[in-house]
Amino acid sequence: MQGRMMFQSLLISSLLKHAARYHSDTEIISKNTDGTITKTDWTHISENSKRFANALNALGMQQGDRVATIAWNNHRHLESWYAISGSGLVCHTINPRLFPEQLVFIINDANDRVILFDKTFLPLIKAVKPHVPNVEHFICLSAFDQDVADAIPDVKFYDVVIAEQSAEYEWPEFDENTASSLCYTSGTTGNPKGALYSHRSTVLQSYAGAMPDSLNLSARDIMLPVVPMFHVNAWGTPYIAAMVGCTLVLPGPGLDGASLTALIDEYKVTIALGVPTIWQGLLLAAKAVNSSLPTLKRNVIGGSACPPAMMKTFRDVYDCETIHAWGMTETSPLGSLNQLKSKHNALSDDEKLQIRLSQGRPPFGVEVRITEQEKGMVEQPNDGNTSGNLQIRGHWIINAYYGKNESALTEDGWFDTGDIATIDADGFINLQDRAKDLIKSGGEWISSVELENIAMGHPKIAMAAAIAAIHRKWDERPIIIAIKAQDSDITEAELLDYFSDKIAKWQIPDRVIFVDSIPLTGTGKMLKKDLREQFGSVLLESETN
Ligand code: ADP
């Protein structure tokens, strides 16, 4: 017997409809590419989104066609996002920090018909345009601009395009499994691969992401997604914001600490999200201008491990609760988030901090397990001790990459994340490392993340990466590549000594190399592959000297 309840497809347009209907005057604050601020609200976001959906229709777009964006987090990007997915097209968000060859590859691989771009990326558009012959329309996300018009023949301007269209538009109804958006992995190894999300996966992830043990979002929140909309859809926040009807503060191009501190203080941001390198900049800037970030109650840190010293500073200096989260492009990305349970209530603050430093536990809708490859992919116990390959399955986890016939899953239907982790009985995941970043010394594994956390806990260190250097006797030994904090006079011996009471002696790095900068990936993570290429032979060199 079937249940006798209504069926409605879970569609992205329904999120915007809800926000426009029940949170119509809730503000959306957006920093534009030229530095000015636009204040709008869910009603106007919805109206412009409908105008742009009409415009896409007029350009002859058909269901399933890909429309790409190369843009900052701003209101025009938000409007066009909803227009693209809502009207049945696929919103392909492109990371502008990729190399031009990678950009060309993914635009052609996705077969994008339209590209929307912010003026900042005009040089990039000029460089890739000759190599992407299937793109029919370029639309600059601005009012008419003579420089852009001179540089790109036949370019269109978003403000002009939507001004010609009506705000009357009926969002179409279709199967909830229809593709909604496309996001490529950053491809640190090999060519980038596309994760193709569906309306259903996106809406279900939004429910899960809003819950109290996830981001704990409500209509009373003022949310600043610093994480870009091209980095796994800003971790789903623009969808969750519409679902709960909160205010969004969209930071545009200003991702430096000073700009973010000013935005948080001026617009009374209650929750902000970003990768650790963003927070590093913010903490320096807040200190410099003497701001206590009084309204910021929660911050979400993911993408790379949150250094313990950072979480402590947010707690002790800013009275801000850090939610550590883990995920990846293939998991939409919410895989786990860290919130305590009632049994932790009696613990001391430092014991709680210790638990909150783990990557957290999965929300309802996803399951995780660890397996041991050498034991034939056998599932390992969730005892918080045994480590193995972290695997995941659930409603918003990839099944197959875009354009590929083969499944992306194990034979029994799990996605292998490439991360090495432990899981405890409560489901708390402790990520040891990415499999390829682990350091193998004399047959024993050393976690690069653990070494980095210790190094970054030293007050005289601004940033540190731990990598494997080739060693004649031990195969690999850990070395640290570090940036000193401002005005710091720390020496190699001093930093190495700092490790001595924190880890076993054989895990202490062999060398520290101080540098002025560490290369970052397109999503702000330390590019350890490049560091390995540059510094991987230093131990061999010092031997021959
Ligand atoms: P990329 O593969 O391009 O870095 P993702 O943004 O999808 O793209 O990165 C996913 C990876 O980032 C995860 O597999 C994991 O190794 C790492 N990661 C994400 N969140 C965390 C976290 N909280 N702690 C440690 N590592 C993390």
Side-chain angles (χ1 to χ4, degrees), residues 95 98 183-189 197 231-232 235 275-276 301-306 323-333 336 357-360 390 415 417-420 431-437 449 521-523 525:
N95 184 343
L98 295 177
C183 185
Y184 279 73
T185 61
S186 52
T188 36
T189 50
Y197 311 118
H231 186 194
V232 210
W235 300 347
V275 294
I301 302 189
S304 300
C306 171
I323 302 168
H324 194 196
W326 165 83
M328 56 200 310
T329 306
E330 290 88 338
T331 66
S332 300
S336 65
L357 281 168
S358 96
Q359 278 70 18
L390 179 64
F415 177 73
T417 64
D419 288 324
I420 305 293
L431 224 75
Q432 246 95 78
D433 220 331
R434 294 195 104 168
K436 57 180 187 288
D437 289 336
V449 174
T521 67
T523 49
K525 305 180 196 192

Side-chain angles (χ1 to χ4, degrees), residues 243-353:
M243 178 176 268
V244 302
C246 71
T247 291
L248 272 177
V249 178
L250 300 170
L255 306 184
D256 59 289
S259 307
L260 295 173
T261 305
L263 275 185
I264 291 172
D265 285 346
E266 178 152 9
Y267 297 106
K268 302 190 171 18
V269 167
T270 59
I271 176 168
L273 305 92
V275 294
T277 42
I278 288 291
W279 298 111
Q280 207 120 28
L282 180 104
L283 286 175
L284 280 176
K287 194 170 169 191
V289 298
N290 215 3
S291 167
S292 64
L293 306 172
T295 58
L296 191 72
K297 294 292 165 235
R298 276 163 295 147
N299 69 338
V300 181
I301 302 189
S304 300
C306 171
M310 185 178 277
M311 193 179 282
K312 225 168 156 177
T313 305
F314 274 110
R315 184 192 69 178
D316 297 344
V317 181
Y318 296 98
D319 194 18
C320 173
E321 176 197 2
T322 295
I323 302 168
H324 194 196
W326 165 83
M328 56 200 310
T329 306
E330 290 88 338
T331 66
S332 300
L334 298 182
S336 65
L337 299 109
N338 195 312
Q339 299 275 5
L340 297 176
K341 296 184 161 187
S342 58
K343 68 175 165 191
H344 300 129
N345 285 347
L347 297 179
S348 71
D349 285 352
D350 283 346
E351 285 165 331
K352 285 181 183 159
L353 187 90

Side-chain angles (χ1 to χ4, degrees), residues 54-63 65 89 113-114 136-137:
N54 278 324
L56 289 167
N57 232 346
L59 290 177
M61 294 301 125
Q62 304 286 335
Q63 209 192 35
D65 283 347
L89 309 174
R113 289 187 69 188
V114 182
E136 297 158 48
H137 306 281

Side-chain angles (χ1 to χ4, degrees), residues 56-134:
L56 289 167
N57 232 346
L59 290 177
M61 294 301 125
Q62 304 286 335
Q63 209 192 35
D65 283 347
R66 271 76 63 207
V67 176
T69 66
I70 307 184
W72 301 114
N73 294 5
N74 59 46
H75 67 289
R76 292 184 180 91
H77 196 182
L78 184 68
E79 291 163 7
S80 55
W81 242 40
Y82 274 106
I84 299 165
S85 300
S87 63
L89 309 174
V90 176
C91 182
H92 172 201
T93 46
I94 297 180
N95 184 343
R97 298 182 189 126
L98 295 177
F99 299 116
E101 312 83 73
Q102 284 184 322
L103 274 176
V104 167
F105 170 83
I106 64 172
I107 293 167
N108 288 332
D109 189 60
N111 207 2
D112 296 320
R113 289 187 69 188
V114 182
I115 294 184
L116 312 179
F117 64 97
D118 272 329
K119 188 179 175 184
T120 317
F121 307 115
L122 182 58
L124 207 61
I125 295 290
K126 272 167 67 177
V128 302
K129 191 167 180 282
H131 309 288
V132 293
N134 295 342

